[in-house]
Amino acid sequence: MDTQANLRKVGLKATGPRMRILELFFNSDGGHLTAEDVFKRLLDEGEDIGLATVYRVLTQFEHAGLLVRHHFETGRAVFEFNQGDHHDHIVCFQCGRVEEFFDDVIEHRQKEIAEARGFVVRDHALYIYAECTRTDCPHRPGE
Amino acid sequence: MDTQANLRKVGLKATGPRMRILELFFNSDGGHLTAEDVFKRLLDEGEDIGLATVYRVLTQFEHAGLLVRHHFETGRAVFEFNQGDHHDHIVCFQCGRVEEFFDDVIEHRQKEIAEARGFVVRDHALYIYAECTRTDCPHRPGE
DNA sequence: GTATATGCAAAACTTTTGCATCCTT
DNA sequence: AAGGATGCAAAAGTTTTGCATATAC
């Protein structure tokens, strides 16, 4: 991934902090990170970065369409890499794991419902909160 | 509505603040209120109430099943009266109006999707963000 | 070289907690 | 009377902003 080119493409200067943050999301394999998560990881990597910069960059990336901001039930914003494909989320109550899915039936039905009520859909967010029945559920609440 | 009886039913003492807050939601016709909204309305009514109490009572009501807490994209929690019937939301980008709906197809599909992936659904939240095409859209962003 | 981005510190905002007093049962 | 609930103030947690310095182009 040419981080520098990707930043320029969306009209942002290719600065150090921006490149590190974008790479972090690119390498995190669809992970959902809070501003604090990003900040700590960069500190761990030995970066000299400020939390304010992280917040500013995350917001810029959201506006540029590089990241998507979500509001889970924690009250804190989490960000994920925008792979272009829209998808919804299943969040495990027990281990906090987030799995993604996309379903045509649901997507379609939403559009119908909204239009029948005189709305034009611009976006939507569907979160299913569930219990993970898998044996490999790490069961580590609070992380 | 017998506010006093409703509170006792869920095991809470029928105190002044709790009764006022429950009545507020009952009379607000399905309105979605933040803690701050509730606090201000009670102050306007001349109540001597603290914001901390509002937060405590709202959380108690949520646990008791009297209210439902939502996280819209604002970052602040909003509460609504729990009428027992689950429903999802269409939020108008322009006027902020929230319309509710329930759709069996979507409900069913969610259950199927989650179970196919080894999850047992406990709850879910679906928010459709849309533009209101109605002529009576008040168009008052920021309220 | 110039405009923008950054780090730090301080502020703003939402929510929680400690504690003395008050109220419900 | 006893225990829980309240208001106030202070704290904790998240996000934003002001400003001097540093960096990208």
Side-chain angles (χ1 to χ4, degrees):
Chain A
M1 186 213 202
D2 187 344
T3 311
Q4 206 158 320
N6 274 39
L7 285 172
R8 294 230 181 81
K9 204 182 300 175
V10 297
L12 292 172
K13 280 189 191 170
T15 66
R18 287 189 185 139
M19 291 199 284
R20 306 281 153 49
I21 293 175
L22 187 54
E23 274 160 16
L24 194 73
F25 276 97
F26 185 72
N27 294 330
S28 78
D29 194 32
H32 295 72
L33 305 175
T34 65
E36 193 73 24
D37 291 337
V38 172
F39 180 57
K40 282 190 186 143
R41 292 200 190 189
L42 292 183
L43 285 188
D44 286 351
E45 288 179 12
E47 289 302 322
D48 176 23
I49 196 167
L51 183 53
T53 299
V54 173
Y55 274 102
R56 278 186 287 235
V57 170
L58 290 176
T59 300
Q60 290 161 351
F61 283 6
E62 182 197 11
H63 291 151
L66 295 171
L67 297 179
V68 181
R69 182 194 302 250
H70 298 285
H71 285 95
F72 292 85
E73 50 181 17
T74 63
R76 303 186 306 176
V78 298
F79 296 82
E80 73 171 320
F81 197 76
N82 183 5
Q83 285 157 313
D85 59 331
H86 161 80
H87 55 252
D88 294 312
H89 297 85
I90 302 180
V91 185
C92 175
F93 260 122
Q94 295 169 339
C95 64
R97 183 172 59 183
V98 179
E99 204 163 301
E100 294 161 355
F101 71 92
F102 176 87
D103 186 72
D104 259 329
V105 176
I106 291 180
E107 300 289 320
H108 238 89
R109 198 84 185 101
Q110 285 181 30
K111 197 155 170 288
E112 282 173 20
I113 291 165
E115 285 174 2
R117 287 154 185 271
F119 286 94
V120 176
V121 176
R122 286 241 306 240
D123 193 13
H124 71 260
L126 168 57
Y127 299 109
I128 299 180
Y129 301 107
E131 280 174 55
C132 191
T133 60
R134 298 188 169 178
T135 52
D136 63 345
C137 173
H139 236 281
R140 47 179 165 75
E143 207 251 313
Chain B
M1 186 210 201
D2 187 344
T3 312
Q4 207 158 319
N6 273 39
L7 285 172
R8 296 229 181 81
K9 204 181 300 173
V10 297
L12 292 172
K13 281 189 190 169
T15 67
R18 286 191 185 137
M19 291 199 284
R20 306 282 153 49
I21 292 175
L22 187 53
E23 274 160 15
L24 193 74
F25 276 97
F26 184 73
N27 295 330
S28 78
D29 194 33
H32 297 71
L33 306 175
T34 65
E36 193 72 24
D37 291 338
V38 171
F39 180 56
K40 281 189 187 144
R41 291 201 191 187
L42 292 182
L43 285 188
D44 286 350
E45 287 179 13
E47 290 300 322
D48 177 22
I49 196 167
L51 183 54
T53 299
V54 173
Y55 274 103
R56 278 185 289 237
V57 170
L58 291 176
T59 300
Q60 291 161 352
F61 283 5
E62 182 197 12
H63 292 150
L66 295 171
L67 297 179
V68 181
R69 184 194 301 250
H70 297 284
H71 285 94
F72 291 85
E73 51 181 17
T74 63
R76 301 186 307 175
V78 299
F79 297 82
E80 72 170 320
F81 197 75
N82 183 4
Q83 284 157 312
D85 60 331
H86 161 79
H87 55 251
D88 294 311
H89 297 84
I90 301 179
V91 185
C92 175
F93 259 120
Q94 296 170 339
C95 64
R97 182 171 62 184
V98 179
E99 202 162 303
E100 295 161 356
F101 72 92
F102 176 87
D103 186 72
D104 258 329
V105 176
I106 291 180
E107 299 290 319
H108 240 88
R109 198 84 186 101
Q110 285 183 29
K111 196 154 171 288
E112 282 172 20
I113 291 166
E115 286 174 1
R117 287 154 185 271
F119 287 93
V120 176
V121 176
R122 286 237 310 238
D123 194 12
H124 70 259
L126 168 57
Y127 299 108
I128 299 180
Y129 301 106
E131 279 173 56
C132 190
T133 59
R134 298 187 170 178
T135 52
D136 63 345
C137 172
H139 238 279
R140 46 178 167 76
E143 208 247 313

